[in-house]
Amino acid sequence: MPTESTYPKIEIPNVDLWEFLFERKDKQFPDDKVIYTDPDTTRSYTYAQVRSTAIEFGKGLKSQWEWKRGDVLALYTPNCIDTPAITWGTHWAGGILSPANPGYTPDELAFQLKDSGAKALVTQKPFLKSACEAAAKVGIPEERIILIGDQRDETARFKHFTSLKNLAGTARYRRTKVDPKKDLAFLVYSSGTTGHPKGVMLSHENIVANTLMIKVAEGGNLSWKGGKDGRGDKILAFLPFYHIYGLTCLIHQSMYSGFELVVMPKFDLESFCRHIQTHRITFAYVVPPVVLMLGKSPLIDKYDLSSVRMLNSGAAPLTRDLVDAVYKRLKIPIKQGYGLSETSPTTHTQPWEDWNKTIGSVGRLLPNQTAKYMSADETEVPAGQTGELWIKGPNVFQGYLNNPEGTRNAKTEDGYFKTGDVGHQDEHGNFYITDRVKELIKYKGFQVPPAELEGLLAAHDNIDDVAVIGIYNKEQATEVPRAYVVPKKGVQATKETEKQIMDWLAAKVASHKRLRGGVKFVDEIPKSASGKILRRLLKERALAEEKKAEKAKL
């Protein structure tokens, strides 16, 4: 029998995100509560300021660009405290937000712009060149590229988002009503093994449901008030807002629950520690590579991190060694969670009180969900046995944009999402994720499709054949992409050739897709009779090479 969540069922209101956040009757914190803070500039937004800025932006979209229900606004920017107002202003106008990785090359961004049907693009000044190049490829005019952040375009060719509001006559515009169950709030892009990213369609109901589910999961341990300074819990936000982990767990949770979010544009260990010390951060969502640094880096000793009451790690499994090392050093507990873009994202997390009882587990199934582990022939396996995790609930996505076949393969007729992750549950209802059915490489929470890298590398003049796999890097506590290359006849398999291939690819892809696992030269790529690359054999080879190297060190 499928496993039902052990949490009491919660009511998911039939409202869109605007009504959920800004027209609620149960808000406990005041309108002047500071929600988003930029620690470098001290610029901030209160709840009321986010709401008013979002409305003005939404009116600007309607008056200047005739924004319609279902129009897509693309976001190509690092974390910025302007992002929430842009997000909900787009929703106010009936639109859909599609965030893109600011590390994307113009070609990668252009694919997302075209696939999503984006009508306009929001970026920051340092990213204008790539943004313009991508927009030109898909026919988005320059006047529909606008800026957020503190830097303005001195040429005045590109407007700042603040100039898209405060227009005379916009008072006549009203909020566009949407259907929470059917209308999309977000189009986030998740890489597929076919090489092209897939547009994950998330409805307003999906995000409303997951925001409420996360609140239940934290079990009242986080508060908008109280603490030594009376300002409540403060969450440090470095996880990217263009990723569903950051979108829901950071942006939406903070606005719904009244937490202050101290926003970093990107992760940097020294800034991370300094902000914790300066702002007395109490909670942060992290990923295993950050946990590794907290356990090992000598930099940590320069800072007082004692205000942190809990860390929540996601994106990849954590080992007991890592959790124990951090607790022994800093007395900071770390619980784990699990989720996917297709589930909005959080489906499981460890309760605060259980963080050290089931290390290695991703915790319990959150409210209003059903889950089961399935065998290769799609029959359910009992507790304790290994299978692929399938999940059903109000947080499960609507499908993949423009990809009915992908949707059919991922979702069953009765609503289960096939996660592609393998694991089991124990007799106490704790879930474990141990492997992946899918061949995606997971680098620090980012998905890297091997087929995409293989497609690019195959075009290299010095490469005859190629296969890409993920190998685990202990120093970084993450998988990294490695290419196995059959060189063209006459090409020397040297360190110089390896570096040339790595540098060549690095210029063509986003940072997380680089060959951090290096290049290995081989005589042939193992393949099945039908021509499919046998990555399993390459993984076995990589493990054997690693063991041999470790023996050589002894």
Side-chain angles (χ1 to χ4, degrees), residues 181-199:
K181 292 182 184 296
K182 293 180 181 176
D183 285 315
L184 303 185
F186 296 100
L187 264 173
V188 297
Y189 276 73
S190 175
S191 295
T193 50
T194 56
H196 278 308
K198 292 180 289 189

Side-chain angles (χ1 to χ4, degrees), residues 14 52 67 162 218 283 293 332 337 367 459-460 494:
N14 187 33
S52 61
W67 212 252
T162 49
E218 301 306 351
F283 186 85
M293 291 181 204
I332 295 176
H460 192 286
T494 62

Side-chain angles (χ1 to χ4, degrees), residues 3 7 210 213 217 312-313 335-340 343 345-351 361-366 369-371 373 389-391 395 419 425 429-433:
T3 300
Y7 287 100
N210 205 238
M213 289 156 65
N312 185 95
S313 182
K335 67 188 184 77
Q336 289 194 70
Y338 171 77
L340 309 100
T343 54
T346 312
T347 60
H348 298 72
T349 192
Q350 288 177 294
S361 160
V362 296
R364 291 161 55 192
L365 189 65
L366 297 193
Q369 295 178 107
T370 308
Y373 282 104
L389 179 61
W390 290 15
I391 296 174
N395 52 313
T419 67
Q425 61 176 310
N430 299 299
F431 283 67
Y432 293 79
I433 302 297

Side-chain angles (χ1 to χ4, degrees), residues 228-246:
K228 290 180 181 177
D229 60 4
R231 293 175 65 186
D233 278 292
K234 295 182 184 179
I235 300 177
L236 188 56
F238 68 85
L239 293 174
F241 291 169
Y242 59 82
H243 193 286
I244 192 63
Y245 192 179

